[in-house]
Amino acid sequence: MGLFYLLAYESQDQGSAIAVGLFSFMRHWIPTWRIPIQLVLSLLFPLTALALYFEQARRHLYLNMCWIVFAVSAAIAYLLYEDGRRFTHGNLIWSSYSAAFLLMLASMLFILEQHRRERELGHGDLLVYGIPVSRRVAITSCVFGLHLLSGLVYYYRFTTQFTSL
């Protein structure tokens, strides 16, 4: 990060700098009260997987690594911003988007792994299309489905908003 700062801000006089400010960039685009709500809703699936499989999740190296990477990138996104001419660019939030995607992927792989283990042990309270599924896998799958559906609705609203202008 230090090398990036030197290359981007010290070597060229572009009238921009990295500054510290809680939600500074995001408050420019959305109301402050919505920021924590959007964060929790974006993380609802990984949080559900973590809560329902806490004992297994705390020993899962890849999942824990993804949580740490997301925490660091979210801290950068929520606490730092580019001041000056590049304020609206949002260059410091992209790492949190990538980290959230990796966390979602790691959580999905973790849930699939837990499902496989539970099937091998014969734990399946529910039948879904003839496949025995535990309640925990069913709950996390439903939360993931809601996340996917809300993302499609958001994408549709976003694309139709700009095509009608």
Side-chain angles (χ1 to χ4, degrees):
M1 182 105 171
L3 181 61
F4 168 75
Y5 183 83
L6 288 175
L7 291 174
Y9 299 103
E10 294 299 324
S11 63
Q12 307 166 13
D13 185 25
Q14 299 206 3
S16 192
I18 294 178
V20 177
L22 184 62
F23 303 145
S24 294
F25 172 76
M26 293 175 192
R27 279 186 293 168
H28 182 73
W29 302 103
I30 61 174
T32 305
W33 63 268
R34 267 186 33 200
I35 296 170
I37 295 170
Q38 284 184 264
L39 175 64
V40 170
L41 290 175
S42 295
L43 294 177
L44 194 57
F45 169 65
L47 286 171
T48 303
L50 181 66
L52 292 177
Y53 288 99
F54 184 74
E55 282 302 313
Q56 295 88 340
R58 71 182 184 89
R59 287 186 244 112
H60 199 272
L61 182 63
Y62 183 68
L63 184 62
N64 288 318
M65 181 194 68
C66 289
W67 273 107
I68 291 168
V69 168
F70 176 78
V72 170
S73 64
I76 291 170
Y78 289 122
L79 296 175
L80 301 177
Y81 67 98
E82 284 183 295
D83 197 16
R85 294 187 330 199
R86 291 196 244 179
F87 176 77
T88 58
H89 294 187
N91 290 323
L92 297 177
I93 67 168
W94 289 107
S95 63
S96 65
Y97 292 162
S98 300
F101 174 76
L102 285 176
L103 181 58
M104 288 284 183
L105 179 63
S107 297
M108 179 55 71
L109 292 173
F110 172 73
I111 291 300
L112 290 172
E113 184 180 312
Q114 297 310 308
H115 172 65
R116 182 185 52 81
R117 283 192 181 144
E118 288 173 349
R119 282 194 64 191
E120 287 174 356
L121 295 172
H123 299 154
D125 306 11
L126 307 169
L127 279 178
V128 178
Y129 298 109
I131 300 171
V133 176
S134 73
R135 292 186 195 281
R136 295 188 293 183
V137 168
I139 291 169
T140 54
S141 298
C142 287
V143 171
F144 179 74
L146 289 172
H147 180 83
L148 189 62
L149 182 64
S150 66
L152 292 172
V153 169
Y154 176 79
Y155 176 75
Y156 174 76
R157 287 185 60 210
F158 184 77
T159 55
T160 57
Q161 174 185 359
F162 291 111
T163 55
S164 63
L165 293 178

